[in-house]
Amino acid sequence: HGARFAKWRAVIDIDARRPSAGSVKANAHALARYAAMCQEENIVPIVEPEVLMDLDHDINRCFEVTEYVLKSTFQALYEMRVQLEGIVLKPNMVIAGRKAKVQAGVDEVAEKTVQCLKNTVPSTVTGIAFLSGGQSDIDATAHLNAMNAMHALPWNLTFSYGRALQAAPQKAWSGKEENIEAAQAAFYKRAHMNGLASLGQWSRELEDK
């Protein structure tokens, strides 16, 4: 029917004991089978292993679990003979849980996320499009910008945000027809800010213009 991309999202809960090895292995296998079937039909698979940020884990626990999940996923992709040049990886950033007492700063999130990716993602993967995972609009933009501004990377780092793109236009719209233009303007601004962040050219000052 003309489809060119497909997406499979595997959700990984995280706390002191989760995820289990069985859960990670099962999700990695499912992602790899899906990716292989997509490529057989000339569809680009978006591979999305998401470690959630809902609870109170710190950033180091997120690093540990994300590294494990990505290593397992790429091992499964290799075993299924998936061509890594033909996938888009859609991972979470390495970030403290929403309920954590200590929230990491922008630079620490960028450093730990890039290090985790370097530890796990082959350079043959051409595109990494982050999910926002419940981050605020500004945080999601700032983290992406810091990664691109601070590091020389073997992959293109960009965004595939849901909430961090939609929240502002939905608030501006509020279900009222007279607010449609304001909602469109809000959506354009968030897309533009994140576009700049994908080039490492965003700054907080631009948000006020």
Side-chain angles (χ1 to χ4, degrees):
H1 298 292
R4 292 291 178 266
F5 292 82
K7 188 186 80 163
W8 185 298
R9 175 175 177 247
V11 177
I12 307 295
D13 258 333
I14 175 175
D15 59 23
R17 295 188 302 165
R18 293 179 294 177
S20 67
S23 171
V24 172
K25 184 176 181 179
N27 278 286
H29 180 73
L31 283 166
R33 283 196 65 201
Y34 137 82
M37 288 187 286
C38 283
Q39 291 189 343
E40 287 175 3
E41 300 298 329
N42 294 316
I43 293 173
V44 176
I46 300 172
V47 177
E48 182 176 0
E50 178 183 4
V51 176
L52 297 177
M53 58 171 289
D54 294 339
L55 298 179
D56 61 354
H57 57 273
D58 64 18
I59 192 170
N60 293 319
R61 176 62 176 157
C62 184
F63 184 102
E64 176 185 24
V65 173
T66 301
E67 183 180 48
Y68 177 37
V69 168
L70 288 175
K71 283 183 177 179
S72 299
T73 299
F74 278 99
Q75 179 62 35
L77 290 168
Y78 173 78
E79 291 171 358
M80 287 290 175
R81 300 182 180 180
V82 172
Q83 296 178 18
L84 299 183
E85 301 90 336
I87 73 168
V88 175
L89 178 67
K90 186 176 178 183
N92 56 282
M93 296 180 188
V94 175
I95 193 168
R98 189 180 294 108
K99 297 179 182 178
K101 293 180 180 179
V102 177
Q103 293 294 324
V106 170
D107 288 351
E108 185 178 7
V109 170
E111 290 285 351
K112 280 188 162 56
T113 301
V114 168
Q115 187 59 56
C116 188
L117 295 175
K118 286 182 175 180
N119 290 355
T120 57
V121 182
S123 59
T124 48
V125 174
T126 52
I128 298 177
F130 287 104
L131 55 90
S132 53
Q135 299 178 64
S136 72
D137 301 354
I138 302 298
D139 284 349
T141 305
H143 291 148
L144 176 62
N145 182 75
M147 287 181 228
N148 282 304
M150 294 165 57
H151 298 276
L153 302 165
W155 329 273
N156 294 311
L157 298 189
T158 186
F159 62 98
S160 180
Y161 295 160
R163 214 172 312 175
L165 278 177
Q166 299 165 4
Q170 285 179 339
K171 182 178 180 180
W173 175 48
S174 299
K176 298 178 181 179
E177 188 171 352
E178 62 267 26
N179 292 335
I180 288 177
E181 287 190 9
Q184 290 172 334
F187 184 80
Y188 173 82
K189 180 173 183 178
R190 292 275 28 99
H192 180 54
M193 293 296 102
N194 286 303
L196 292 174
S198 69
L199 301 172
Q201 297 175 1
W202 173 86
S203 69
R204 288 184 181 269
E205 290 73 22
L206 294 172
E207 293 287 342
D208 299 326
K209 291 185 178 181

